[in-house]
Amino acid sequence: MESITIKDIARICGVGVSTVSRAMNNHPDVNKETKEKIMQAIEEYNYIPNNSARNLKRTEANTIAILVKGSNNPFFYMMIESFQFYSQDRDYSVLIHQVSDREDEIEIAMELVKEKRLKGIVFLGGYFSHTEDKFKKLPVPFVLATITPSEQVDIELYSHVSVDDVAESEKMVDYLCKKGHKKIAMLVAQKDDISISNLRVKGYKRALAKNEIELDEELIIYTEPDVPDPYNMDNGYTLAKKLLTSGKEFTAVFAISDRMAVGACKAFQESGIRIPEDVSVAGFDGLDIAHYYNPSLTTVRQPVEDMAEAAMRILFRLIDGEKEQEHCLFEGRLIEGESTKEVK
């Protein structure tokens, strides 16, 4: 009988692979009932994580790389954890490489392929503005995760996995509009940012138009050009302070990341503004902090484990010689927290 894998245990229990791993490692964020169910399945099916045997079977040629573009993002950490677990089933090791905003990820990828004899690559985060010629230079299969390239690139040249950032942003702003908010501010990255920030601004504008609310460009608060990590708490705090000093009226704020939303909440509370009594605040990503922050954040949760599994499935299918590219758009889930309320 073939040995049972961690993925089998996850499927039997109806949970994600990373949840099984966290239960096995006694992480406190797995509830008691789920942990008991997982441990019972492990005992029943005699699952033994033989990591030493796996490592002996791995060679330098059995390596894939995850190239992470830009800043340190907790959402990316969640994706990377899932990538590592799904790679275990194929006895592949995972190389994590950070790419700065100023570096060319394709050039770095080609160097890593030579040095590490990579079998495949996942590009995580950022925005792919590369030409078709650059795509064609990549000598190994690759998948773009949480990235949508330029529309000028033939979709037959790449595979990608992401949520529809425009649609999910529109969903959140439409939710705020349905709560009676007509003056909705938005905290975003730099104005010339060509990654998810502009996509989420596009969704914001669509939702306002759908609800017949006139767009006020001055309610879109952009990050200063020299800020290296616009999605963090510190920048959310700064942008909220900028909004407050602008004198613009607003009843709700939509930040394009949960971390920015938490920073904004801090700025409002320091100014004596209550959440949600005086202003509603919403974020995006569905990080753990959204649940544990007080008040809990209304947010759009991205299906991290499903996206990671799809990326790995596609990548290994391409590594195995299949030629057809695949494009997966996932739907996020709007999680209603305590940070938003209806206005009359």
Side-chain angles (χ1 to χ4, degrees):
M1 180 179 175
E2 188 176 342
S3 298
I4 194 164
T5 68
I6 191 171
K7 191 172 179 180
D8 295 324
I9 296 295
R11 178 174 45 77
I12 290 163
C13 297
V15 298
V17 172
S18 59
T19 302
V20 176
S21 176
R22 290 197 298 273
M24 291 168 57
N25 289 290
N26 205 28
H27 280 226
D29 60 346
V30 181
N31 70 53
K32 183 180 178 182
E33 293 77 12
T34 302
K35 183 177 178 181
E36 288 177 353
K37 183 178 181 181
I38 290 169
M39 299 313 291
Q40 183 178 343
I42 287 172
E43 182 176 354
E44 180 179 347
Y45 290 93
N46 195 31
Y47 169 61
I48 302 173
N50 191 352
N51 291 327
S52 59
R54 289 184 183 279
N55 290 334
L56 284 171
K57 287 166 34 178
R58 289 175 179 159
T59 67
E60 199 172 42
N62 273 351
T63 303
I64 62 171
I66 313 298
L67 268 62
V68 187
K69 181 79 169 185
S71 60
N72 296 321
N73 187 333
F75 177 74
F76 291 163
Y77 297 153
M78 295 160 63
M79 291 281 288
I80 289 167
E81 183 181 46
S82 293
F83 289 148
Q84 290 172 323
F85 290 131
Y86 289 121
S87 298
Q88 287 179 1
D89 285 339
R90 289 289 299 260
D91 295 317
Y92 271 70
S93 59
V94 177
L95 169 70
I96 312 297
H97 188 94
Q98 191 84 18
V99 182
S100 76
D101 290 327
R102 297 179 298 277
E103 291 179 306
D104 184 322
E105 56 267 80
I106 290 186
E107 295 296 334
I108 289 174
M110 290 191 292
E111 286 299 317
L112 288 174
V113 169
K114 293 177 187 175
E115 293 174 8
K116 305 295 183 182
R117 298 168 56 203
L118 299 178
K119 285 291 187 68
I121 300 169
V122 175
F123 293 98
L124 180 60
Y127 180 83
F128 252 53
S129 56
H130 301 290
T131 63
E132 289 191 358
D133 287 342
K134 293 276 281 194
F135 275 78
K136 291 174 182 176
K137 283 184 178 180
L138 285 166
V140 296
F142 65 93
V143 177
L144 312 182
T146 73
I147 307 168
T148 302
S150 165
E151 293 178 356
Q152 279 69 51
V153 176
D154 184 355
I155 63 171
E156 295 302 318
L157 291 178
Y158 66 91
S159 291
H160 94 285
V161 173
S162 70
V163 295
D164 186 333
D165 285 288
V166 176
E168 296 305 325
S169 177
E170 180 179 355
K171 179 192 293 181
M172 177 58 80
V173 180
D174 184 60
Y175 161 85
L176 293 172
C177 292
K178 294 295 190 289
K179 288 284 188 182
H181 296 279
K182 298 184 183 299
K183 297 178 180 179
I184 304 169
M186 189 173 190
L187 310 183
V188 300
Q190 289 86 353
K191 198 163 190 174
D192 60 351
D193 186 281
I194 53 175
S195 62
I196 61 172
S197 182
N198 273 354
L199 296 174
R200 292 177 187 175
V201 169
K202 187 175 181 180
Y204 164 82
K205 292 180 177 180
R206 278 191 186 178
L208 294 183
K210 175 182 174 182
N211 287 276
E212 299 181 341
I213 296 173
E214 185 177 354
L215 172 66
D216 183 350
E217 290 280 0
E218 292 184 1
L219 283 176
I220 304 175
I221 311 300
Y222 290 98
T223 299
E224 293 298 320
D226 58 344
V227 175
D229 180 9
Y231 298 90
N232 67 17
M233 296 181 199
D234 185 59
N235 191 48
Y237 178 91
T238 300
L239 295 182
K241 287 289 190 182
K242 184 177 177 181
L243 174 62
L244 290 170
T245 57
S246 73
K248 297 295 294 184
E249 291 185 21
F250 60 96
T251 62
V253 172
F254 172 39
I256 60 167
S257 78
D258 288 338
R259 292 187 298 158
M260 290 172 74
V262 169
C265 288
K266 174 70 172 174
F268 294 142
Q269 289 164 345
E270 283 185 356
S271 300
I273 297 171
R274 300 169 301 165
I275 302 165
E277 292 84 359
D278 301 323
V279 63
S280 290
V281 178
F284 198 112
D285 282 335
L287 301 179
D288 287 346
I289 193 173
H291 175 70
Y292 289 104
Y293 187 75
N294 186 20
S296 58
L297 281 176
T298 295
T299 185
V300 172
R301 178 174 294 163
Q302 300 194 58
V304 175
E305 290 183 347
D306 292 343
M307 292 165 65
E309 181 176 12
M312 289 292 97
R313 175 182 56 77
I314 294 168
L315 183 63
F316 285 122
R317 183 174 58 74
L318 295 171
I319 288 172
D320 289 341
E322 295 188 35
K323 301 297 183 184
E324 186 177 351
Q325 302 289 356
E326 192 171 340
H327 304 274
C328 295
L329 273 182
F330 286 85
E331 185 175 353
R333 183 159 65 96
L334 196 153
I335 307 295
E336 188 170 18
E338 298 165 342
S339 64
T340 52
K341 70 182 287 287
E342 191 171 350
V343 294
K344 303 298 184 183

